[in-house]
Amino acid sequence: ANLVYVYAYLGHTPSKTFLWSLESELGQRNNLDPSELVTTLWGFTTMNHIPSKSLRIQLQDCLVEMDLNVFTEAELCQLFQAYLTARDLIKDWEEFQLPEQIHAAARELWLSRVEDVNQSWFHYAVSNCLDRIGIPNEFEWKTPDKLFSVDLMLNFIPRHDINDVSSSVGTQARRHAPTGGSLVVVEVDGPSHFTANTRSTLGSTSLRRRLLAVRGLDVVSIPWYEWEPIKRSPAMQDLYLREKLDGHIQGPPRDQVVACPNANEPTYPHDRLLSSARNVCRDIEETQSRNQTQEEVASSSKDHESAILTTLHGILNLVASIGSLYKVPLLLSACEVRKQ
C-alpha cells in the first residue's frame, strides 16, 4: 500500500508488470487497515490504474465493512478525492462506491476545505500583474458543482458554458476540450506542488489539474520557481504573463464590452483610452505649431510638454500591447504622433 501511495504521490507510474506484482501482494492481504485502504485506493486512481476485478471487489468489501469513525479527516478527504477520480476520470471501475454514511461525511468535509482557503503574497502578486495588463480576475472561484476552488479565474468570455456540465460532469465536460476554448483559470503553485530536487509536478497536483480540466477549465500553472527570478520586476512579470497566457485567452473581458454607437462591432476600454491619448497629443501639437515667438514660450513649459508627449507615447505603446493580447487589431498608423 505504501509503495502504491509513494509512486502516485511523486507523479510516477511504474510499469504494468510492477503494478501487477503490487496487486498480487495486496490480494493476499485478508484485511487492510483504514490507512492502507485509503492510500491504495488513492494511489491507484491517481495513477489512472484500474486493478483486477477481484482486487476491486476485495477493496470495496473492505471499505463497506469499515466504520466511519476509523478514518481521520485527512483520510476522508483523500478517500473522497479517490472516489471523484474514479467517477470522473476512470472508466470501468463501477465497483468503487462510498457507503452512504462515509460519502456524506467525506463530502461535507471536502466542501468545508474548499471554502477554507488562504491567499498568499504570491496569489496577490499574480493577481496584481493580471490587473496591470488589463485582465480582470477573481480570487478563489468555485466550479459549478462547488467541489473545487481555483486560485484565479480570468474574467474573459468563454466559448462554452461550463454550467452545462454540472448535471453530469464525467460525460458532458469531455465535450469541452480545454484547448478548444474553455474558461481560463490560473493556479499559483508554490513549492509544495513540486518535488524539491527535480521540480517535477507532484501526483496530487497533476490529479487536481485533471479534475479541473474534466470540468471544462483550461488550467494555466504559474510555478514558484519561474516567478521567483522576476518577483521584483513588474515589467518582467507583465511580459511573463503575456507569454504564459498566449493561446489561452479567448476574448476580451466580459464585463468590459461596451456598445459602439457608430458600428456593428463592440468596442473596448483600451480603444477609448487610445482615442483620448491621440486627442491630447493632437492638442499639444496644435499649441506648439502656433505662431509664437521664442520669447513667449518659457523653457519650463517646453520641458513640461515634452514630458507629457513622452508619457503619452508610453500609453500608446502599452495600449497597443494590450490590444495585441486581446487579439484586437489597433490601427496605430491612423494617428502618427511626433515629438516636437
Side-chain angles (χ1 to χ4, degrees), residues 222-242:
I222 308 296
W224 70 273
Y225 55 84
E226 292 182 356
W227 190 264
E228 185 70 17
I230 60 174
K231 67 179 183 181
R232 300 187 187 280
S233 174
M236 292 299 295
Q237 293 170 9
D238 295 353
L239 179 62
Y240 168 81
L241 278 186
R242 290 178 195 276

Side-chain angles (χ1 to χ4, degrees), residues 6 26 54 77 92 174 196 237 275 281 299 301 326 333 338:
V6 168
L26 288 168
S54 59
C77 281
D92 304 323
R174 291 186 179 89
Q237 293 170 9
S275 178
C281 287
S299 176
S301 177
Y326 287 161
S333 60
R338 54 186 176 84

Side-chain angles (χ1 to χ4, degrees), residues 270-282 285 308-323 330-332 335-338:
H270 58 268
D271 292 324
R272 300 196 300 273
L273 176 60
L274 182 61
S275 178
S276 298
R278 287 170 175 167
N279 291 336
V280 173
C281 287
R282 185 171 57 251
E285 290 177 347
I308 292 177
L309 277 174
T310 301
T311 301
L312 289 172
H313 273 279
I315 293 175
L316 290 173
N317 291 335
L318 175 61
V319 171
S321 298
I322 294 174
L330 298 179
L331 302 179
L332 291 178
C335 177
E336 296 181 357
V337 180
R338 54 186 176 84

Side-chain angles (χ1 to χ4, degrees), residues 26-34 36-37 58 62 65-66:
L26 288 168
Q28 297 176 18
R29 297 282 302 275
N30 294 325
N31 292 303
L32 295 174
D33 63 40
E36 291 174 327
L37 176 63
Q58 179 183 337
C62 185
E65 293 173 359
M66 288 187 178

Side-chain angles (χ1 to χ4, degrees), residues 18 72 83 117 152 159 168 180 186 195 207 209 222 256 271 316 325-326 333 337:
F18 186 75
T72 65
Y83 164 73
V117 292
L152 297 166
R159 292 181 184 173
S168 180
V186 171
T195 57
L207 176 59
R209 293 174 187 172
I222 308 296
Q256 295 193 20
D271 292 324
L316 290 173
L325 179 65
Y326 287 161
S333 60
V337 180

